[in-house]
Amino acid sequence: MVEPEQAPRIGRNESLEERMDRNWMELIQELRVLQTGVQILGGFLLTLPFQERFEELDDWQRSLYLFNVMVAALTTVLIVLPVSVHRRLFRRGLKATLVSSADIVTKWALGGVALLIVGSATLVFDFTAGRTAGIVAGGFIILVLLLLVVGAPLWLHRRAVRNGNGNGNGNGNGGDAREV
């Protein structure tokens, strides 16, 4: 006699455990991309004090520089947090908790990366082209980030729902299983 599966297979024809494993691997891949970007920007920031012209920074630029270093450090912490949580929750049957919390932390890390991009570009423009150019560049990048990082996913989701390709739960079947 064949035993019934513990969880029904829906969407991709995967069990809840398989879906959580896939979601975890997707989140880890996204964190790897974020980590690379933060490392590049953070590395750039860490080299600045060793440049001759660093002494030319005014108080505002120096404060913005230190703010950027702090954002880079805190964003790095957010990026490694899911790995730390995974080590603590490993083999405790809490994969759904792990994936859900990693999803939230990844969204915060994306915010940190966005802030770091804006702050770094503002600093570079401010130093090389003047305060007004720095503020304009920073404001422009904020608008582009809002449009692309926030607006584009919302627009794509609305379009998919309108076309009948999305139902808000991520599995395409109208069921209640959620993609993270």
Side-chain angles (χ1 to χ4, degrees):
M1 182 168 147
V2 176
E3 294 291 321
E5 288 187 66
Q6 301 256 350
R9 291 179 174 266
I10 55 175
R12 293 179 176 235
N13 196 26
E14 58 190 359
S15 69
L16 178 61
E17 292 80 14
E18 290 167 333
R19 186 170 49 254
M20 289 297 110
D21 287 343
R22 179 177 51 79
N23 287 344
W24 173 249
M25 292 309 299
E26 288 175 3
L27 279 166
I28 290 298
Q29 286 299 97
E30 291 168 5
L31 288 168
R32 286 181 180 143
V33 170
L34 285 175
Q35 180 182 12
T36 301
V38 171
Q39 284 175 329
I40 290 168
L41 283 173
F44 157 74
L45 289 170
L46 293 177
T47 65
L48 289 181
F50 302 103
Q51 306 300 317
E52 278 184 44
R53 294 188 64 200
F54 186 78
E55 294 301 320
E56 297 175 28
L57 267 62
D58 64 27
D59 289 342
W60 189 85
Q61 291 167 334
R62 199 174 299 270
S63 295
L64 182 55
Y65 167 77
L66 292 172
F67 174 79
N68 286 336
V69 170
M70 185 62 71
V71 170
L74 293 174
T75 302
T76 300
V77 169
L78 287 174
I79 290 170
V80 299
L81 180 59
V83 176
S84 173
V85 171
H86 181 262
R87 288 293 90 213
R88 292 293 212 174
L89 300 182
F90 188 64
R91 293 187 180 160
R92 295 190 181 187
L94 298 171
K95 181 70 70 118
T97 299
L98 173 65
V99 170
S100 177
S101 65
D103 175 57
I104 293 166
V105 169
T106 301
K107 289 173 184 170
W108 280 97
L110 279 168
V113 169
L115 195 56
L116 184 57
I117 291 168
V118 171
S120 296
T122 301
L123 177 62
V124 169
F125 272 83
D126 185 89
F127 184 75
T128 59
R131 183 74 25 95
T132 301
I135 292 169
V136 168
F140 177 74
I141 294 170
I142 289 171
L143 290 175
V144 169
L145 284 167
L146 287 173
L147 182 67
L148 296 177
V149 176
V150 177
L154 290 173
W155 178 77
L156 289 169
H157 180 259
R158 286 187 189 135
R159 191 175 107 185
V161 169
R162 189 174 47 250
N163 293 337
N165 297 337
N167 54 15
N169 66 17
N171 69 11
N173 281 348
D176 61 352
R178 292 177 33 123
E179 290 289 321
V180 179

